[in-house]
Amino acid sequence: MELDTQDVEQRVSTGALPGWDAVEEHVAAAYERSRGATGGVVADYIPELAAADPDLFGVCVVETDGAVHAAGDAAVPFSIQSISKAFVYALVCDALGHEVVRDRIGVNNTGLAFNSVIAIELNDGHPMNPMVNAGAIATTALMPGGSPEAQWHVVQDGLSRFAGRPLELDEVVYASEAATNHRNRAIARLLESYGRVDVDPLAVVDVYTRQCALLVTAEDLAVMGATLADGGVNPVTGEQVVSQEVCRDTLAVLASTGLYERSGEWLFEIGLPGKSGVAGGIVTVAPGKGGIGVFSPRLDPAGNSVRGQRATAYLSRALGLNIFASAAHDAPPDGSTDGDRGGAR
Ligand code: GLU
């Protein structure tokens, strides 16, 4: 697609969060209003994930000025799983650039399950979507480093810079998935057969499996999301982790692909880019405003945390985060519609 954007300065269009007290209050309310939701089931296709306490529930918002608002089990660690895909994608975009990643991986939703093999076949071996397993494995294969061990260190270090602290590997979850991830190995072999993975496919799956087993908390996810909301600068450490352009590109991909086959419903209800993982985490990004991290292990049939979606939907609405919401330009600033709409229009 030929677009006339190369020499046009990227201007930004974002608003502000309500004050500190209001955010604090709404984070507590999001937790209280969703803690009673006990629908969904804990993932068990990775045997160790089935051991999670289903009642855990944490909510955290981190603002782009670094303010942290947490409720519930926001400091309890869990494996990041698929949420790692968003941040590895950002790191690869930062290293290789917009065009290379768009052409090699793609930016479109496959509409099929996260571990679909048929999606690869239907698209002539093009992985299409970096937020499901085929595209994510192909993305990890592009990670700089030169060897699987070096790539793993670049991944661990990069995700730690997003979180603002060193992230550790959950050795038990890693071993559990490494012993059972036959399907991901098949996906990597299939990608190799189509020339989409230039390196040892099984070594790439091993790096990918490790990246999924990194331990994070809901607060970490909120900081990581806030970094993508803050033009790539971690608002807690002040470090520029990736470029402003990479944040924009990553969020565009998340908006259409972040919640598995429910991505359309998520955008319709919540109106923000997000990414979920099968351990029960969800990261959501409000550009210019902040990041939301939620964690609760019970999942809907697509693999998204039930309580996490509820809490995020509440926060999107209560904090005015939905990027598609607007009010008439002469409406009262609180967004209510009962003001005097006089004046020429
Ligand atoms: N490590 C998991 C897998 O590859 C991640 C899945 C997910 O969170 O969607 O199956």
Side-chain angles (χ1 to χ4, degrees), residues 166-183:
L167 299 180
E168 302 291 333
L169 180 69
D170 185 327
E171 298 280 357
V172 178
V173 168
Y174 164 62
S176 179
E177 184 167 1
T180 53
N181 62 355
H182 311 295
R183 198 175 174 92

Side-chain angles (χ1 to χ4, degrees), residues 12-34:
V12 296
S13 167
T14 57
L17 284 170
W20 192 93
D21 290 345
V23 180
E24 187 77 4
E25 207 175 284
H26 285 305
V27 167
Y31 175 78
E32 287 304 332
R33 292 167 67 110
S34 296

Side-chain angles (χ1 to χ4, degrees), residues 45-46 80-83 85 114-115 133 177 184 208-209 212 260 275-279:
Y45 78 100
I46 297 171
I80 188 169
Q81 296 301 336
S82 242
I83 303 166
K85 293 167 180 162
F114 74 97
N115 59 359
N133 291 10
E177 184 167 1
N184 285 341
Y208 165 80
T209 307
C212 290
Y260 308 112
K275 182 74 197 93
S276 65
V278 290

